[in-house]
Amino acid sequence: MIGFFKRVFELTEVHRRRRRARLDTTPRSTVELCRLLQRRGRVAAARDVARDGLLRFPASADLRDILHSTWQRSTKKRVNELQQKVDADPSIENYVALIEHLQEFDETDRATEVSRQLVQKHPDDAAAALVSGRILIARFHRDHVAQDGALGLRSMQRAAELDPQSFEAHFALAETNYYIGAVSKALQHLYQALDVQPEHTEANRLYRILTRLPLEKQQERELLREVEENDEASFRFQSDAASESGDTASPTKIASGLEQLSLLAGVRRTVLSHRGVEAVAQEGRQVPVDDETGCLLELARGFRRTASLSAKRMGIGAFEEAEMSFDTGTILAFGSGSTILMIETEGASRLATIAAEARHYLAGSAVREPETAHA
Amino acid sequence: MLEVLERLGDNPGIVGSLVATTDGIVVQSRLRSGMDEDAAAALVSSLLTSTVGLLGECGKARMGQLVLRASRGKIIVTDLGNAYLVVVTDRNLDLNQGLLEIKSAAKTLTKLGRLVV
């Protein structure tokens, strides 16, 4: 009987948290729900909640970590099975099954490694080049590492050469070239894509955008480096559905969240630089930018740039967060694309709580990067 | 010094390590094959000089430690007094265990540094 009531209580609690997670504009409630499920031993359920949560909050490092750890625990057997199939029969189908499974759980780095093996095994197969290109381009979109972009484009180009009728290869080349600002190359591939599928809605929409843009003056390599350094695309293509959602961040929402963060115990000041919005908050209020606060803004901007480039060029991907310790306190820094949030704290206690709140704020809808195409 | 860095490199998850002076000049390095030593040195030098310079302008005292987390790994910078120990790790490093090893290596290097740097 006690077991029955316990079970009912658990189910009610999970249901209540699920509802709260749906309403929360930050990943906080989703992260809490995942942790509750993990504590109850429901690893696969926690994994699925984290995976769905990442669709809403793609910048949430907490959800990514939960997905990674739960995936490792819950699907080890499945991965081993898929790997054994590849070992026994290294056919493209078996590789693709393993890669798709890895991608489903956001294991892009491991999927990239497997796709590299796939291309080595099947160097003259268009499907292999397409799969590899798709993953490298996905990783380029995530981390903005120029090398991933270059390899992704090369792989897609190879797929298009091996199968000139591949709409997917030409369209991916058009989209990625547009993303880095290579308008003429994007148009060249879009014409080829439209030759194969003249009625394709997204391709026709991209065509309308591309024909209004000036042609690029730089080489692909320079354009990729520019995206790497600025940590954002030159242009961003979005589906009709995304453009109609109107889901963009407002400076008021951004400032309000920053002020709330500055009220946390142990926080001295919070600083944010995000797409033209720059603000410093202290004791729950925004403060004017003077010599002292301006210096912090300068530190935030400079550190984001150096940390981001160092991480990318040392092969460890996109900068996410940093902790700098001093005798007098700690500075926490959180990066997401071209955005940086810096928090000056007093002492080293409560850092974990402050960091968790900062991550929720940065990945939440208040700061979520607008996905509008900006020419 | 190389021996300490080599021992550090034996830990799973640690990709490479180096010792650089406060102005970013690399004294000794031990990087996993495939990592470009010169490029890594230049990047570390830029990271250190830029960060330390910006912090100095803001009146911040000397940085004791910097832990930088990225999507595929981490960079951990530890103050050695007259130099910095820089460790590059992959995503799977257990940070608690890793930091203990790094702290221990830093202690040894600090003692050595008094004689060498």
Side-chain angles (χ1 to χ4, degrees):
Chain A
M1 199 61 167
I2 294 170
F4 171 74
F5 283 117
K6 205 177 153 193
R7 179 91 184 117
V8 170
F9 173 76
E10 277 179 11
L11 284 172
T12 314
E13 178 68 3
V14 169
H15 181 69
R16 194 173 63 80
R17 296 220 185 195
R18 270 189 204 278
R19 209 171 43 209
R20 198 200 293 171
R22 272 198 296 272
L23 298 172
D24 198 343
T25 54
T26 75
R28 180 187 292 106
S29 304
T30 311
V31 170
E32 284 171 3
L33 173 61
C34 290
R35 293 202 172 127
L36 174 77
L37 291 166
Q38 277 181 297
R39 280 198 300 277
R40 301 264 154 88
R42 295 175 59 189
V43 180
R47 179 200 66 197
D48 294 342
V49 170
R51 189 177 51 182
D52 293 345
L54 272 172
L55 296 176
R56 271 185 78 201
F57 306 108
S60 171
D62 289 323
L63 287 176
R64 236 183 2 257
D65 285 348
I66 292 170
L67 183 59
H68 181 62
S69 65
T70 50
W71 169 79
Q72 277 184 321
R73 283 179 62 195
S74 63
T75 54
K76 210 172 181 177
K77 201 176 150 203
R78 177 78 183 129
V79 175
N80 286 344
E81 278 170 15
L82 290 169
Q83 184 65 58
Q84 277 165 8
K85 275 191 178 175
V86 168
D87 295 341
D89 170 19
S91 66
I92 292 176
E93 292 72 27
N94 285 341
Y95 269 112
V96 169
L98 175 58
I99 289 166
E100 279 179 352
H101 173 82
L102 293 168
Q103 277 197 300
E104 195 186 338
F105 294 99
D106 203 39
E107 291 295 318
T108 311
D109 299 326
R110 204 161 155 198
T112 309
E113 180 51 35
V114 177
S115 76
R116 199 179 55 80
Q117 295 165 10
L118 165 66
V119 172
Q120 274 174 354
K121 279 265 179 225
H122 303 276
D124 296 321
D125 193 289
L130 192 69
V131 168
S132 169
R134 205 188 291 148
I135 293 167
L136 284 159
I137 287 170
R139 196 160 80 157
F140 172 62
H141 280 265
R142 186 192 73 181
D143 292 350
H144 287 156
V145 174
Q147 200 190 8
D148 286 340
L151 291 173
L153 283 169
R154 206 181 301 160
S155 211
M156 276 298 176
Q157 184 70 49
R158 177 87 181 128
E161 280 162 16
L162 291 165
D163 176 10
Q165 291 301 303
S166 168
F167 170 83
E168 198 188 335
H170 287 299
F171 190 57
L173 282 162
E175 271 187 311
T176 311
N177 276 299
Y178 166 65
Y179 189 83
I180 65 169
V183 177
S184 69
K185 276 199 173 178
L187 270 170
Q188 181 192 323
H189 288 289
L190 195 60
Y191 287 132
Q192 284 168 285
L194 283 166
D195 278 347
V196 184
Q197 286 192 38
E199 303 301 325
H200 194 275
T201 315
E202 295 287 281
N204 278 293
R205 220 172 77 76
L206 182 56
Y207 176 77
R208 286 195 296 276
I209 295 170
L210 282 171
T211 47
R212 289 201 299 264
L213 293 173
L215 300 183
E216 74 278 13
K217 291 192 178 77
Q218 297 125 295
Q219 296 292 312
E220 178 188 292
R221 193 188 148 108
E222 290 169 64
L223 291 166
L224 284 166
R225 281 268 160 164
E226 221 166 77
V227 173
E228 182 175 76
E229 280 170 24
N230 298 330
D231 231 321
E232 61 181 16
S234 297
F235 305 112
R236 190 170 297 181
F237 185 51
Q238 61 175 158
S239 66
D240 286 336
S243 67
E244 281 161 12
S245 74
D247 201 2
T248 57
S250 87
T252 322
K253 269 191 194 170
I254 292 172
S256 151
L258 194 68
E259 287 168 352
Q260 280 176 21
L261 276 179
S262 74
L263 279 173
L264 290 173
V267 172
R268 197 176 288 154
R269 270 179 298 203
T270 52
V271 179
L272 181 83
S273 172
H274 169 75
R275 287 182 175 258
V277 178
E278 295 200 320
V280 183
Q282 192 169 358
E283 291 171 355
R285 278 212 305 255
Q286 245 195 101
V287 292
V289 178
D290 55 19
D291 282 355
E292 201 188 345
T293 51
C295 179
L296 276 175
L297 265 172
E298 193 62 42
L299 171 66
R301 282 193 300 257
F303 181 74
R304 188 209 66 79
R305 192 177 157 78
T306 320
S308 169
L309 274 182
S310 303
K312 284 172 186 172
R313 293 185 185 167
M314 285 180 93
I316 57 165
F319 162 61
E320 288 176 347
E321 55 189 74
E323 188 180 315
M324 290 171 253
S325 322
F326 307 89
D327 291 341
T328 51
T330 303
I331 289 181
L332 300 174
F334 302 85
S336 174
S338 58
T339 300
I340 178 130
L341 165 68
M342 208 168 238
I343 301 180
E344 195 184 0
T345 72
E346 293 156 346
S349 61
R350 296 187 49 81
L351 285 183
T353 313
I354 298 168
E357 289 301 321
R359 283 186 212 116
H360 294 327
Y361 165 68
L362 208 56
S365 59
V367 187
R368 197 165 54 194
E369 289 197 31
E371 291 176 356
T372 32
H374 45 98
Chain B
M1 191 178 284
L2 188 60
E3 204 179 297
V4 178
L5 298 185
E6 272 174 357
R7 230 181 5 244
L8 203 53
D10 290 340
N11 288 289
I14 291 184
V15 177
S17 57
L18 57 89
V19 174
T21 61
T22 44
D23 41 9
I25 297 162
V26 175
V27 180
Q28 188 69 263
S29 67
R30 182 78 175 83
L31 300 171
R32 195 177 281 176
S33 62
M35 268 185 96
D36 183 339
E37 197 154 307
D38 291 337
L43 286 165
V44 165
S45 160
S46 145
L47 178 67
L48 281 176
T49 47
S50 161
T51 309
V52 171
L54 285 163
L55 286 167
E57 280 171 31
C58 288
K60 292 283 163 208
R62 211 178 145 83
M63 182 171 65
Q65 192 173 55
L66 162 70
V67 179
L68 189 155
R69 179 180 136 154
S71 54
R72 295 178 227 164
K74 298 178 184 77
I75 299 174
I76 300 156
V77 181
T78 310
D79 184 17
L80 301 175
N82 49 4
Y84 283 106
L85 166 66
V86 182
V87 179
V88 185
T89 80
D90 65 22
R91 188 185 174 185
N92 298 317
L93 175 88
D94 173 356
L95 196 56
N96 292 331
Q97 180 62 29
L99 283 176
L100 278 178
E101 298 285 349
I102 292 165
K103 217 172 178 179
S104 153
K107 214 177 225 176
T108 315
L109 287 168
T110 308
K111 283 181 199 159
L112 277 174
R114 287 198 194 109
L115 304 170
V116 179
V117 181

